[in-house]
Amino acid sequence: MTRQMLAVTLVAISVGGSAAQEKLQARWMEHLGRGVVALPMDDGKVFVSWRLLGTDPDDIGFHVYRRIGTGDAQRLTKDAIQKSTCFMDEQVDPAKTIHYFVRPMIAGKEADASQEFRLPSKGYLSIPLKTLPGHTPNDASVGDLDGDGEYEIVLKQEMRPRDNSQKGPTGETKLEAYKLDGTLLWRINLGKNIREGAHYTQFLVFDFDGDGRAEVVCKTADGTVDGVGNVIGDAKADHRNPDGYILDGPEFLTVFDGKTGKALSTTDYLPARGRVSDWGDNYGNRVDRFLAAVAYLDGDWPSIVMCRGYYTRAVLVAWDWRDGNLKKRWTFDSDDGKPGNRAYRGQGDHSLSVADVDGDGKDDIIYGACCIGSDGKGLYSTGLGHGDALHVSDIDPGRPGLEVFNIHENTKQDVGVSFRDARTGKVIWTKPSADVGRGVALDIDPRHAGYEMWASGDGLSGVWNVKGETVSKRKPRSCNFAIWWDGDPLRELLDRTTISKWDWEKETESTLLSVRDCSSCNGTKATPTLCADILGDWREEVIWRTTDNQELRIYSTTIPSDLRLATLMHDPQYRLSVAWQNIAYNQPTQTGFYLGHGMKNAPRPSIRTREWKPSR
């Protein structure tokens, strides 16, 4: 461990089952504070919300406090709030400096106060950036980098990114860490020998060793400079060929300290590129298709999963970061000659997902049209081939377990869309199409049980229910991203810098939020910098960059809700989907339980958390 433990808080909550199952399924997850957020509204009121933790008792309540200037705090609630995790303050003087905080009420007694949140002057949080000339903010992830129980942001800054299929030089990607007040913690320069683009620079932000602070893990190379100025490998090496591809030279995997950006450990990246043609071409497109994920492969602690290839050969390598050491857990290789592995060749997507598909408490990797088990062995391959997007959740609450909605580009199969059982891979229904670019699975219509699904592709029209039946002849214009924003459990549409609601009766969209002076990322994918439940109640925040690249803006809902759920970040599958959101073609988050219209009480997450305090 990197710090001396002074205090440990251990809480285990289980959904049910045997003692052995409970022990297996109670995962170590990050200790979070209350994440209080307060935003001014157009009518002069202030909307306040906060986290219900996955480890909180069912009968917990909350009192809301307001502090004006340096005066004493005033309690705004007569009775502790138990039916929601939000509050509307109607008496605010905008000329004053105002802070809000909450105190939990447990067993009739008030507990310690949360961190105080200063009311911003505008209806969003502004994070000033120190963007270098010629750079553009792109994807981000979050983690508690300094151990204070609240999230910091790790932001990717790009110069001239290119798709692997496009030759030409790129710039040098930077990773930057910011606190929510705009404090720059560090900057890592990945260097000239890491090509820029969505398929090259996968980075993971997570507490892999349980010390209470997140690490940052990514692929590095000769000339990478860590957050304290140390150079990895040969600083003078330049392995770029005349076409801008990097097909020679060493490749590394590095774990960085989340608080300082210092490189803690570097090893060879696996799998090595080897012979370029073994991946499907001679010029370097398929060899440098990377994916990455965090997964609880033993059901207890998180592991690092780094991946290479999906059009043809596909290789996944799992690592553990424990006590300052990187140790390889397993390797799965579609082309290693092991019986059955060849069936997994060419099944990967431009993204992946992580979920416990078989209910053993351990995570499996849904690698496009196939699934790799927690032990590094193939669970199944559908043979339906590569696609651009997939969604994994309890899409059909009427069926046991999880389901997968997947889109495909394999014209030989004449299957453009598939819906399958996540555990067995059994295909439940399909839709034919020559080429499908995008597809989503969201609950947008309360008239039908489960999520609705739609896709963009040749011959595809309308919206489908979980049985594959067309329930709307018209489909939303957006097929990109999603967000839980308003007060009900239905999901909203997120496209470019607009959040909209699907009107299932009129079969049209109504705008809930449209933001000016901000931009989306990744070209036509039009994705946000990040969309995740990083503050306030269970609903999601969205982060966009400003068009001048000098600021991140965090938007959080100000719509009251009487739905009380634990923070989605304490749902293990959801938390991991935030960790892989920046990977390749960004996909929206998904929960490990059914979150939609008609849902039963959400299952309490089976987790354990540790609170660490720095040594003095």
Side-chain angles (χ1 to χ4, degrees):
M1 300 297 181
T2 60
R3 294 187 295 171
Q4 179 183 357
M5 182 181 69
L6 293 184
V8 177
T9 301
L10 169 61
V11 184
I13 297 178
S14 61
V15 177
S18 67
Q21 289 174 323
E22 292 176 3
K23 181 178 180 181
L24 178 66
Q25 295 175 353
R27 303 178 178 204
W28 286 109
M29 294 189 68
E30 57 201 343
H31 172 83
L32 295 174
R34 292 295 167 188
V36 174
V37 61
L39 293 171
M41 302 178 65
D42 292 338
D43 59 4
K45 299 177 182 178
V46 171
F47 182 80
V48 186
S49 71
W50 57 91
R51 291 188 188 110
L52 177 71
L53 302 175
T55 52
D56 282 332
D58 290 336
D59 60 353
I60 192 173
F62 296 91
H63 282 298
V64 181
Y65 287 79
R66 179 183 62 209
R67 185 190 308 279
I68 300 177
T70 59
D72 294 336
Q74 176 188 1
R75 197 173 83 180
L76 304 178
T77 46
K78 179 180 179 181
D79 300 313
I81 298 174
Q82 290 186 299
K83 301 297 184 181
S84 69
T85 46
C86 60
F87 176 80
M88 192 74 73
D89 186 6
E90 300 185 3
Q91 299 179 4
V92 179
D93 183 351
K96 303 289 186 179
T97 299
I98 301 173
H99 291 79
Y100 290 89
F101 63 92
V102 298
R103 285 183 180 272
M105 178 68 76
I106 303 174
K109 296 182 179 180
E110 275 193 299
D112 292 341
S114 69
Q115 290 187 18
E116 296 190 8
F117 180 89
R118 181 174 178 173
L119 181 69
S121 61
K122 299 181 179 180
Y124 55 83
L125 279 68
S126 173
I127 303 176
L129 299 177
K130 292 180 173 59
T131 302
L132 296 173
H135 290 69
T136 300
N138 188 253
D139 298 332
S141 193
V142 292
D144 182 4
L145 303 180
D146 57 9
D148 65 353
E150 302 298 338
Y151 288 121
E152 284 75 44
I153 295 174
V154 176
L155 174 67
K156 179 169 70 171
Q157 294 262 20
E158 293 183 328
M159 300 180 72
R160 296 186 304 276
R162 296 183 186 273
D163 189 87
N164 298 51
S165 61
Q166 301 170 357
K167 66 181 181 179
T170 66
E172 298 183 5
T173 296
K174 315 301 189 296
L175 295 179
E176 297 177 341
Y178 289 91
K179 292 186 71 66
L180 296 187
D181 64 4
T183 300
L184 176 65
L185 297 178
W186 47 258
R187 177 183 290 127
I188 295 169
N189 183 353
L190 296 182
K192 64 175 68 72
N193 294 307
I194 293 290
R195 203 165 190 246
E196 283 192 309
H199 303 294
Y200 299 95
T201 48
Q202 323 305 350
F203 62 98
L204 301 175
V205 183
F206 214 81
D207 181 5
F208 289 103
D209 60 4
D211 69 348
R213 295 194 288 111
E215 291 78 38
V216 178
V217 180
C218 67
K219 183 174 180 284
T220 57
D222 280 340
T224 294
V225 182
D226 74 4
V228 295
N230 298 320
V231 179
I232 296 173
D234 183 354
K236 298 180 180 180
D238 186 347
H239 302 295
R240 295 172 295 181
N241 69 18
D243 288 332
Y245 288 101
I246 302 164
L247 305 179
D248 293 299
E251 301 175 287
F252 306 124
L253 177 67
T254 300
V255 178
F256 297 93
D257 182 89
K259 188 174 182 179
T260 66
K262 180 180 179 180
L264 300 176
S265 180
T266 296
T267 189
D268 291 337
Y269 186 91
L270 298 178
R273 67 171 69 88
R275 190 170 59 182
V276 172
S277 59
D278 287 346
W279 300 88
D281 62 58
N282 291 314
Y283 69 98
N285 180 9
R286 290 167 174 79
V287 68
D288 277 355
R289 298 278 179 164
F290 299 100
L291 300 174
V294 181
Y296 286 76
L297 300 174
D298 63 1
D300 196 15
W301 292 94
S303 296
I304 302 159
V305 182
M306 305 303 290
C307 317
R308 187 174 213 148
Y310 39 77
Y311 285 128
T312 52
R313 182 187 179 192
V315 184
L316 292 75
V317 181
W319 300 86
D320 292 337
W321 172 248
R322 308 284 187 268
D323 299 320
N325 295 299
L326 264 175
K327 182 179 180 181
K328 186 163 73 75
R329 174 177 283 266
W330 50 250
T331 298
F332 175 88
D333 187 343
S334 66
D335 289 20
D336 64 1
K338 292 182 181 178
N341 279 12
R342 190 76 174 180
Y344 295 79
R345 180 181 171 90
Q347 302 302 307
D349 282 0
H350 290 304
S351 61
L352 46 65
S353 189
V354 180
D356 176 13
V357 302
D358 53 11
D360 65 355
K362 305 175 183 180
D363 285 327
D364 311 291
I365 313 300
I366 301 90
Y367 206 71
C370 64
C371 184
I372 311 302
S374 58
D375 59 358
K377 299 177 181 179
L379 282 182
Y380 64 80
S381 175
T382 65
L384 294 177
H386 165 77
D388 281 8
L390 76 157
H391 302 267
V392 183
S393 187
D394 190 4
I395 298 173
D396 182 358
R399 296 184 73 258
L402 307 175
E403 293 80 34
V404 179
F405 177 69
N406 205 178
I407 62 175
H408 308 280
E409 294 179 354
N410 190 343
T411 56
K412 295 180 181 179
Q413 297 281 357
D414 195 28
V415 173
V417 167
S418 68
F419 185 68
R420 72 179 190 256
D421 182 278
R423 181 179 65 87
T424 65
K426 179 181 178 181
V427 177
I428 301 170
W429 53 263
T430 64
K431 302 290 180 182
S433 182
D435 184 10
V436 182
R438 297 172 195 175
V440 289
L442 319 167
D443 188 17
I444 61 170
D445 189 335
R447 299 173 297 182
H448 313 285
Y451 290 4
E452 286 72 45
M453 290 151 275
W454 66 99
S456 61
D458 298 337
L460 298 177
S461 62
V463 176
W464 310 298
N465 65 11
V466 295
K467 298 183 183 297
E469 301 165 339
T470 299
V471 295
S472 173
K473 292 183 179 180
R474 297 180 64 184
K475 59 186 176 183
R477 291 170 296 174
S478 169
C479 199
N480 274 346
F481 233 69
I483 186 171
W484 279 290
W485 183 259
D486 66 6
D488 63 39
L490 295 175
R491 207 153 191 197
E492 284 66 59
L493 307 170
L494 173 56
D495 186 37
R496 300 188 183 277
T497 57
T498 297
I499 297 172
S500 58
K501 183 83 170 177
W502 176 248
D503 185 328
W504 56 87
E505 293 178 326
K506 297 180 181 179
E507 297 185 345
T508 187
E509 300 163 43
S510 59
T511 299
L512 300 180
L513 177 70
S514 185
V515 175
R516 297 180 178 180
D517 302 324
C518 287
S519 298
S520 55
C521 299
N522 302 310
T524 60
K525 299 297 184 289
T527 53
T529 295
L530 182 70
C531 178
D533 177 21
I534 61 175
L535 289 168
D537 63 21
W538 60 274
R539 291 169 292 176
E540 295 177 298
E541 283 65 46
V542 59
I543 305 177
W544 286 299
R545 63 180 173 93
T546 53
T547 53
D548 63 4
N549 299 326
Q550 299 305 305
E551 179 186 353
L552 292 181
R553 292 182 182 175
I554 303 178
Y555 288 84
S556 186
T557 186
T558 56
I559 303 173
S561 175
D562 58 2
L563 182 58
R564 186 168 106 150
L565 298 175
T567 173
L568 298 185
M569 291 298 235
H570 272 172
D571 173 57
Q573 183 175 325
Y574 179 92
R575 180 64 184 91
L576 298 182
S577 72
V578 174
W580 57 247
Q581 186 178 132
N582 72 83
I583 302 304
Y585 289 176
N586 305 19
Q587 300 298 314
T589 54
Q590 294 287 4
T591 56
F593 61 92
Y594 175 67
L595 203 174
H597 180 76
M599 64 182 291
K600 300 178 181 179
N601 291 334
R604 294 300 299 274
S606 184
I607 63 173
R608 298 174 288 170
T609 67
R610 269 183 173 154
E611 180 181 4
W612 296 76
K613 296 182 179 180
S615 58
R616 297 184 185 276

